[in-house]
Every structure is written in C-alpha cells, then in structure tokens.
Amino acid sequence: MNSDVSLPVKFTGTIIEYLDQGRLKAALVTREQERHLAVIDSGGHERLVPRDLVLMRHPERRADRENAGETIAELEHERAELAAELDLELLWQVAQEQNRSFSAVELADLFFGRRSNAAASVMLEALLNDRTYFVRRHMDFLPRTPEQVERLRIQNDRIRARSDDYRKIQKQLRDVLNGAETPPAAEAGALIEELSRYLKNPFTRSRDMTQMLTQAAPDVDPAEAAFEILERLGARPRVPRFAFIAGLKDEFSDAVMKEASEAVPGPRAISDGGFAVTVDDEDTVEVDDALSCEALADGGMRVRVHIALVADFVAKGGAMDNEAASRATTVYLPETTIRMLPDPISCRAASLIAGEDRPVMTTDVRLSADGELIDASIYPARIPIMRRLDYDQVDRIIESGNRADDTAATVARLNAAAIQLRQRRRTAGAVLMQRREAKVRVRGDDVQITVLDNASPGRTLVAEFMVLSNFVAARYAAMNRIPIIYRVQPQTGGDLASMRPHLSLHPEYHAGIGLDFYAQLSSPIRRYADLVLQRQLLGALANRDHDTAIYTVDELLTVLAGAENAEASGRDLERRAKRYWILRYLERHALDGPIVAYVVREGQSAELADFAVRGTLHGAPTLPNQMPIMVQVSRVDPLRGWLAFDFVGPADEASTGAIRTV
C-alpha cells in the first residue's frame, strides 16, 4: 500500500491521511513527536494527530507550508474522481467468488486496475464505512456471503423506509397542529390509527411517536398533542379528553362490580350520633363525612365527626381493594369523574346519605368554652344521617343567625367551634392560605365555570373539623405506636408557603397546619391511603393490645409511595384539565371586551375574577396585590396553557359589582 506507518521513516514534509470522524482527512506533517504528528490541513489549520490514527501515507507527494493547500487539493481531486467510479456491490460480486480476505490495496488494484496510494485511500475509506458487503478483520476485508448481504439489504431498506415514514409522519403532526391542510383521507386514517394506539395505554407508548410529537409541539405534553390531533382530524376518542390522555380507566372489571354488588357491612348496632348533618357541594354524590355538635353544661361543646366506614365494605386483598390500590385516588375532571371505587359502594352503600343509617368511624371530642381540646375518643358506630346541606345553605344559616330548629342550631354551634379551633391553629403558627378556586364542568360543548370561595363560612367549618378529626387519629396512632402514614411539614426556616408537606411513617410537627400530629383519614371513599389508615385504626381499636397491625411497615411504605405519586399526578392532571377548559371558554367568549381581574405579583400577573385563572399581565404599572383592574385578553392558547392580558385600567365600583377580594 506504500502506507506502512510502522516503518521507522520520517513523516515531516509528507502528505498523510488520518481517520477523523469516520472519514480520511489529508494533511501535511510539519513536525513529529513521540506519539503525535503535528499537521496542517488544506485550510492552514494546525493540530496534533495521534500516530495510530494515521492510515495512509503519500511519500510521493512532498510539500511545505507554502504549497500544502495546493498539494492536498490535487489529492482530493484525484480521490473524488476515483470515488465516483467505485461500485462496492460490483467489487463484492467479483471478490466473494474467491472466498478469501483482501487488503484495501488488493481490492483497489482489483477494481481500478492500477495500484496507487490515492486508489487505496478511496478504497480504504469506502470499506471502513461499508456495513453491507465486507466484514473487517483488522485491516483485511472478507466478502460476506450472498445470504448475509441479502439480509442486510432488507434491514437497510426497512431502516430507510422507517426514516422516510418518520419524517413524513412528523410533518403531518406539525401541519395538523399548526392548522395547515390535513393529510389525504388514507394518510389521515393511518395517522388516526397510530395515535389511537399510542394513547390507549400510557405504559406502552412508543418512544418514536413520543419523540415525533415532542418535536412537532415542544411546549405541549405529547399525549395532549396526540389527542388534539385526533380531535382536529375528526376522530375524537369516546373517553373524555384528560381521562384518555392519562390512560385512566372509566369502567371496572366484572369481578370488581360483582364484589361491589354483593358487599354487605358487618353488623353494627345503631348508636347515638347526635343530629348528624352532611355539608358538601350540591352535586356531590360521594359523601364521606358528617358532623354533629351539642352544647355542654359547662359552656363547652361535644363535637362528633363521622367518617364513612368504607373498610366495612371493601375487604383487604379483594378485587375492589386491588383495583382501588391501582387507581389510588378518585380523579375529578371537568368532563367526568374517575372514581377509585365503583358507584354501588362510593355513591350508595358507603356514602352518608341523608335519611339512611350508615356505618361510620366517629371522632368524638369535647371542647372547652374557648375551644381547647379536653378529651377525645375514636370508635366505629352505625348512625342515622339526619340532614344533607350544601355550602350555600350553611352560609345562609350562619349569616342569618337563625337557631330555630335542630339544623340551624347544629350549624351555629359548629361554626362557633370552628372559629375557635381556627384561631388556636393560627396562634400556633398555622399558615392559612385560601385561594379562590374554579369549579369547571363540561358537558359536550357546554363549559360551565363557577368560582368557589374557599374562605366562605361553610367551607371553613367543614375544613376545620376534618383537620381536627385527622389530628385526633394521628395523635392516637402515635401514642399507641400504631404504624400509619403521617403528613408532616417540619419548621426548618425559610418560606413555609413554598415548602410542600410530605408523607412519613414517623410523626412530626406540621407547621402549615399548626399541629404536632397529622394524618389524612377523612376521605376513604376517594383516597386509597385514607382507606388503608382507616383499616389500620379499626384493627387497632378491635385489638386493644395493639400487638397485631393490619398493615406491616413494609406494606405501608408501598402504600405511601403510591399515595405520593397518585396525589402529585392527580393534582397535576386536574390542574391542567381545568386550565385547558377555562382557556377554551375564554377563547370562545371573552376576547371582545375588558374583564375584571385582580392584581397578583405586583402587576406581573393577573387573576380573572369570574374564572380564578391567572395569566401574565402586560402594560401595567406596579400595583398592589388584589387590586381590582380591567384587562383585555391578548393571547390565549388552551393546548399550551398560555394566557396573557393587556392592562386596561383600574376597575370602577360598577365593574366589580358583587365580586370581592379574598
């Protein structure tokens, strides 16, 4: 080959070719080191090249710095002409008949009919990059068998076809999302089939399709982009948008439904639950708590918090339990509710329906006249549910001051006790943050939006007694060393509002709530972790020695991990879904005129008063938070979650009407 670089020869002043990213690159050697050669390329750039990367030497081409570019250009021109002639398939057909290996020099001589360093260089580079016809054995090359070549050709054809299809599908995805012309019917049908398959199971989604969707819309969740494309192609899936995107199951198996229909709670005698009332949203069908309150002779109060005893209906390890564990939580979406437990249990048998007797886990507490917790006990019971109320009814009763009947008297006493409990927690350092919240319902093309005031008396009342019940249960578990999952938020300095609570198997102070012990057991119909803890507590109450727990620590760790993941993903999905549908509504109905909003982040953002949704604010001066202003929607993109406003000016009293700041 006239290229044996192992010979003890001088390279200085000689043109060599070295391997650079799979290609042979020509350069002039200007000086030599022990393991490297200093070279200059055709552009006059200098670099050090390891000796073992030098594959060709051209001793016949002598040069210096002045004419290096010209000499290298001549070599490259000759190589280009030879490369244009080279046909590796034809060479393989000739070489494979001899059934032996060849050097690059031999193959260059065989194909070009002459022996030259330039020809050997062209041949060597082609062979190094060949993946079809020859197998490399050190610096020799063995022709593959016809069968091997045929298999490789088929594979290469598939790769090329896949690459072409990839680019084609990616363009189709981008065109549909950007509102360009939709693909022809046949191509649209294939795209619909591919995207439907992609969305069907979130655990088996194609990486290639995920990558194509991400490249087509980098700022959109791939599953949301896929659903949007299906909708624009007229193939919207039957399952509601965000339930489908998240792969949530809207139906239960036959085994689960059979177990639910046959579930019968254990015998529990009817006991005195006081005048037990439920307080929920008007459309709530999973009612899992009830309250009663009686005045005591010493000026204090006896409050009982009754939580639906779901453990009486759902056996550990059964079909319902396993399904509830996999779902982990009920997910409330604007278009639908994906329940953790089937309707016969969650909405009927276990739900605390007014006029019915229901098994409950009761937290029975005695409060002093100033709201101090004097005594508490927990026990299972079966009680009659006396009355159902919604939050608006409770607010009206409290506002009226009426105590004329049992319902009004109970509400008034509960409200008085809740105010005292709340003040005690505030004094203990609790951070009481209550943002306005949008409730969104979607039925077909109809989007209904209601802003909930979480600071209303009725909602505050219920929240306060759920906190109390959870505290009593957590304290009981801690004092009796019953393994449960605690919710903790240690006070370690810094901004408490930015420190999220977390789950733990060990009790610690919850700074945000202002209590030494805290766990969540108040929603066993819709949170699996709450159901698990209810079982654990029920088992401990039945076994007063507490020597045998329903759940081991290892089992609780598994539940804890699932609870954290489900809680985070469920919250995120609900947030995204609500924002999407609010922005869809604004896109249709709120682009024509100014809207009332409240200032947040000193004028960098604003929150729409009638929608409780935030967006960036442009053109506003520095303004105090919660100041009412008028804004104009300047940009709204439901798919990407984008919302921006232009500042119009301060809101006058007529504009704000009944809207109030919180």
Side-chain angles (χ1 to χ4, degrees), residues 99-231:
N99 194 28
R100 68 178 182 87
S101 61
F102 298 83
S103 68
V105 172
E106 289 175 316
L107 289 172
D109 191 20
L110 181 63
F111 185 85
F112 294 112
R114 69 177 187 271
R115 186 173 292 231
S116 74
N117 287 338
S121 168
V122 168
M123 183 61 68
L124 178 60
E125 184 174 76
L127 291 169
L128 291 174
N129 289 284
D130 170 53
R131 298 292 182 270
T132 305
Y133 299 106
F134 293 87
V135 180
R136 180 181 171 185
R137 298 285 189 267
H138 300 292
M139 291 305 290
D140 286 338
F141 300 88
L142 176 68
R144 298 183 191 271
T145 66
E147 294 78 16
Q148 290 172 328
V149 169
E150 183 61 23
R151 282 199 302 271
L152 288 170
R153 279 175 172 164
I154 293 173
Q155 290 177 11
N156 291 336
D157 288 344
R158 287 175 178 169
I159 291 171
R160 279 192 294 272
R162 185 178 179 186
S163 179
D164 292 342
D165 288 344
Y166 186 100
R167 287 191 291 269
K168 182 179 179 181
I169 293 173
Q170 190 177 53
K171 183 179 184 303
Q172 291 173 341
L173 298 173
R174 187 179 295 110
D175 286 348
V176 174
L177 285 172
N178 292 338
E181 186 177 350
T182 57
E187 294 180 6
L191 191 60
I192 289 169
E193 183 179 351
E194 189 73 24
L195 291 173
S196 298
R197 187 184 310 114
Y198 173 79
L199 284 174
K200 188 174 183 180
N201 188 337
F203 302 106
T204 59
R205 287 175 181 167
S206 159
R207 290 185 180 180
D208 285 347
M209 180 56 74
T210 297
Q211 186 175 8
M212 284 188 283
L213 289 164
T214 300
Q215 291 173 349
D219 41 14
V220 180
D221 177 85
E224 291 186 46
F227 193 100
E228 182 76 13
I229 293 167
L230 287 174
E231 188 172 50

Side-chain angles (χ1 to χ4, degrees), residues 17 52 60 98 238 283 334 407 419 450 494 502 522 585 595:
E17 289 182 86
D52 56 7
E60 76 283 4
Q98 300 186 33
R238 177 188 64 83
D283 56 356
T407 300
I419 291 171
T450 306
H502 62 273
S522 53
Y585 182 91
I595 311 175

